[in-house]
Amino acid sequence: MRRTVPLLITGIVGVVFVVSYFIPHKPFSNLNDWFSDWFSIVAACAIVLGSLNLILISSQKVARRKEDWGYAVVIIVCFLITVIAGIAGGRGYQNTGTAFEWLYRYLYVSLSSTMYAILAFYVASASYRAFRARNIEATMLLVAAFLVMLGRVPIGDVITQFLPEGARISDFQQWIMDFPQTAGQRAIMIGIALGLTSTSLRVILGIERSHLGGGD
Amino acid sequence: MSRRTIEIALVVVGLALCTLAYLGKKNVQGWHSGFEFSPTTSQIVIGLIGLSLVWILVRTLQDKAVGRRTVFLYVGIAIALPLFMSIDQDIVISENTRHVYESLGELPPGSKVLVSFDYDPASSPELQPMAEAFLAECFRRDLKVIMVALWAPGAIQANIALDTVRARLGLDTTELVYGEDYCNLGYQAGREFVIQRMGTSFEAMFGTDVRGTPYRQIPLVRNVRNFSDINYAFNISAGFPGTVEWVQVAVSRFGLKLGAGNTAVQAPQVYPYLRAGQLQGLLAGINGAAEFEKLIGLKAVATTYMLAQTFAHLIVIAFIIIGNIAYFRGERETKLRGRTQ
């Protein structure tokens, strides 16, 4: 029963979504809408569940004085402050001037942007240490990278302004993006789509059951 | 000098650079007069950086390769210093950016534009200038903007963008009326299923806006049932769910006319849709935002950031060249040593 019911739900929902794509009429369209609404409800509940799980795990870490438990205290305190600020703001807690919005704008935005910005340093360092013209393929990649990096910024055209229009670095950059890059992306997308289709069919038909946990 | 001292010194330099970047940002947004290098000083600074790179190259040729901390320092300099430089760059407009601009130009005043804010603060330095420029152009053309978010932080990012645009255009609440000229329907969980449901009913997914006003009481969206009532949509995205999902569901299934603004990292993934005509233009990264600013005649954040982008690209290219010179030199010496033995 514990396996049959989830498998049935998966199968029915999967078949309805597939059929309603090709036959967008009643009763499939209604069922499609109904399942979509349910998906949003389940997704919203998952956010609450995830938050509670985070607090539970962090609390356990603090209670048992596990390694780095101090960070767990920071998580709990920040979580509570944010939740209280949100609740205090009422329905319009995201509006400009509320405590929640202040926390978001002046703490979260700055911290999150900083974390992401650090990538620039690592990308530069990794390029310096690992981007080598070891063979033909690597050299081609390197040349393409140079052309794209220069072509994406105005200096590229400044360097090649003596060349006629259509033969400058930005044009080469655009050509690389439009043709070799797009062709590569399409190949990847088709591969992913085929893989997804076969996996989805296996899930809908109940052959693939790993998402239920515990294997077959 | 001990390693610890060097690290502390680097942290101090890093903090100094951050302070410079912060002051530079304030300068960009016009909060204070700030200071700016003259063109001559800017050229001298650039020359000094260039010379120091030549010195690093010479050191590399002497088998004294620089460490990653030096690379970090140069990237920091490349990003921070340009914020103080008064160098105008001639930004070339790409076809993809022009398509977004032309799509807006084809819409008659009063048309409804759906803007989806599918990103978080991590990508906001790249996408927020895009959002601001796009919203400014919509309001300038008297287009009605309906904002939604498939990412939880998107709703506030939309509010922040609106505040900036309102301040930049000098519009008060009587000139740009909430609920009539624009509205923010907020975030809805459910990823691409939200898009799918919007295809049949917006109200089913967004019962209220971010202020808690019921959908039916918002004049702008009262008569908007689904995508067929939307004239143009623009997705600002940093990943999943984002442009790919909007194309796959809203464009291919419901025939929505869609343009997009993506991070530079994500942009290559949507090129197949551009080439297939499923996307009506693309703003790719801060470069795309700067191009759009140029098209609408606005010199704002993205245009200023482009100088930092140029410097950063040049620094990365310089270090790749230096790294390869060191590599080939090492290879050559290994071969020579092999022959000698």
Side-chain angles (χ1 to χ4, degrees):
Chain A
M1 196 67 174
R2 283 177 64 189
R3 281 182 166 272
T4 312
V5 173
L7 281 174
L8 268 174
I9 293 171
T10 310
I12 292 168
V13 173
V15 168
V16 166
F17 276 126
V18 172
V19 173
S20 68
Y21 188 88
F22 297 102
I23 311 172
H25 305 289
K26 289 176 183 174
F28 300 109
S29 58
N30 287 355
L31 280 172
N32 189 336
D33 289 348
W34 194 59
F35 288 145
S36 296
D37 289 346
W38 267 103
F39 186 87
S40 289
I41 293 165
V42 172
C45 291
I47 294 172
V48 177
L49 197 66
S51 308
L52 291 176
N53 194 37
L54 175 76
I55 290 300
L56 189 70
I57 289 171
S58 302
S59 305
Q60 285 172 352
K61 205 171 181 180
V62 175
R64 290 169 192 168
R65 293 287 192 276
K66 283 186 179 175
E67 195 184 354
D68 295 333
W69 62 272
Y71 296 119
V73 174
V74 175
I75 288 174
I76 295 168
V77 171
C78 292
F79 181 87
L80 290 177
I81 289 172
T82 313
V83 168
I84 291 165
I87 291 169
R91 293 294 293 269
Y93 70 98
Q94 295 180 97
N95 293 339
T96 308
T98 59
F100 183 87
E101 198 263 351
W102 190 91
L103 285 173
Y104 181 90
R105 192 185 285 224
Y106 296 108
L107 288 178
Y108 184 55
V109 170
S110 312
L111 291 169
S112 190
S113 305
T114 305
M115 287 299 291
Y116 195 63
I118 288 170
L119 265 182
F121 295 89
Y122 289 117
V123 167
S125 171
S127 305
Y128 168 58
R129 288 182 293 162
F131 219 164
R132 298 281 184 266
R134 287 195 169 89
N135 48 42
I136 302 270
E137 291 87 351
T139 311
M140 282 172 70
L141 191 67
L142 200 63
V143 171
F146 274 19
L147 288 173
V148 172
M149 275 197 284
L150 278 175
R152 294 288 299 167
V153 290
I155 191 97
D157 274 3
V158 173
I159 295 168
T160 53
Q161 63 184 345
F162 61 91
L163 293 170
E165 270 196 44
R168 293 178 183 162
I169 280 194
S170 63
D171 301 306
F172 281 112
Q173 179 270 141
Q174 199 56 51
W175 182 84
I176 289 169
M177 295 299 284
D178 281 345
F179 297 100
Q181 190 280 133
T182 304
Q185 283 292 345
R186 278 192 179 135
I188 293 167
M189 284 165 73
I190 291 168
I192 291 172
L194 289 174
L196 268 176
T197 308
S198 60
T199 308
S200 302
L201 275 176
R202 282 171 62 85
V203 171
I204 290 169
L205 298 173
I207 301 165
E208 174 67 53
R209 300 178 180 194
S210 57
H211 63 287
L212 298 173
D216 289 333
Chain B
M1 205 186 290
S2 72
R3 189 175 164 174
R4 191 164 185 80
T5 316
I6 294 170
E7 283 178 354
I8 290 169
L10 282 172
V11 169
V12 172
V13 171
L15 281 173
L17 288 173
C18 290
T19 313
L20 282 174
Y22 178 67
L23 290 171
K25 186 182 169 191
K26 286 177 86 173
N27 188 24
V28 167
Q29 295 184 348
W31 292 347
H32 75 141
S33 56
F35 69 89
E36 203 174 58
F37 296 149
S38 68
T40 316
T41 313
S42 303
Q43 282 160 10
I44 291 169
V45 171
I46 294 168
L48 287 173
I49 295 170
L51 281 174
S52 66
L53 283 170
V54 172
W55 177 71
I56 288 174
L57 177 63
V58 172
R59 296 261 300 170
T60 306
L61 290 171
Q62 293 169 346
D63 286 337
K64 290 171 184 167
V66 294
R68 63 194 169 117
R69 287 179 185 80
T70 311
V71 182
F72 293 162
L73 183 67
Y74 270 83
V75 174
I77 288 169
I79 292 166
L81 286 184
L83 296 172
F84 298 92
M85 292 182 181
S86 52
I87 298 173
D88 281 327
Q89 295 191 104
D90 186 20
I91 293 164
V92 181
I93 313 287
S94 67
E95 279 303 302
N96 297 332
T97 306
R98 197 179 293 281
H99 283 158
V100 174
Y101 180 74
E102 285 169 357
S103 297
L104 285 184
E106 289 165 8
L107 299 172
S111 299
K112 291 187 174 73
V113 176
L114 178 75
V115 185
S116 182
F117 288 75
D118 303 336
Y119 62 97
D120 60 3
S123 310
S124 64
E126 206 172 1
L127 296 179
Q128 197 71 2
M130 207 178 275
E132 289 164 8
F134 186 82
L135 289 179
E137 183 61 5
C138 285
F139 294 137
R140 197 182 66 80
R141 290 181 183 273
D142 194 23
L143 302 173
K144 309 299 177 190
V145 179
I146 302 163
M147 295 177 287
V148 295
L150 301 186
W151 287 37
I156 304 190
Q157 290 299 140
N159 280 342
I160 295 172
L162 266 169
D163 289 345
T164 310
V165 171
R166 193 193 287 279
R168 192 178 288 156
L169 299 179
L171 298 170
D172 60 27
T173 48
T174 57
E175 289 163 301
L176 199 62
V177 183
Y178 184 84
E180 289 179 14
D181 296 312
Y182 70 98
C183 71
N184 186 353
L185 296 179
Y187 163 69
Q188 175 60 48
R191 304 185 295 198
E192 66 265 47
F193 286 93
V194 176
I195 310 172
Q196 183 163 299
R197 193 68 176 95
M198 285 169 79
T200 47
S201 169
F202 273 36
E203 194 182 1
M205 285 292 99
F206 299 96
T208 59
D209 68 357
V210 279
R211 301 178 176 193
T213 315
Y215 188 86
R216 290 286 168 99
Q217 290 177 21
I218 306 167
L220 178 58
V221 292
R222 193 179 295 145
N223 298 321
V224 175
R225 286 175 298 113
N226 51 40
F227 290 132
S228 58
D229 299 314
I230 297 294
N231 301 96
Y232 183 71
F234 189 70
N235 169 242
I236 310 169
S237 150
F240 173 79
T243 305
V244 172
E245 286 68 37
W246 276 96
V247 172
Q248 288 175 350
V249 182
V251 176
S252 64
R253 191 163 180 191
F254 298 103
L256 185 71
K257 197 177 171 191
L258 179 77
N262 284 184
T263 54
V265 172
Q266 200 204 346
Q269 292 172 20
V270 302
Y271 263 73
Y273 299 120
L274 267 174
R275 301 286 302 164
Q278 289 171 293
L279 262 183
Q280 314 282 322
L282 171 75
L283 307 186
I286 199 75
N287 190 27
E291 289 171 18
F292 196 76
E293 281 184 1
K294 187 180 177 184
L295 275 173
I296 65 172
L298 176 79
K299 194 178 175 186
V301 188
T303 310
T304 312
Y305 287 179
M306 268 312 284
L307 195 58
Q309 175 106 329
T310 303
F311 267 65
H313 280 204
L314 289 176
I315 290 286
V316 171
I317 288 171
F319 274 105
I320 291 174
I321 292 170
I322 292 169
N324 273 280
I325 288 170
Y327 168 73
F328 283 115
R329 195 178 156 76
E331 286 277 293
R332 193 166 148 256
E333 280 178 4
T334 311
K335 276 180 191 167
L336 284 173
R337 220 174 290 138
R339 275 182 208 161
T340 318
Q341 285 171 357

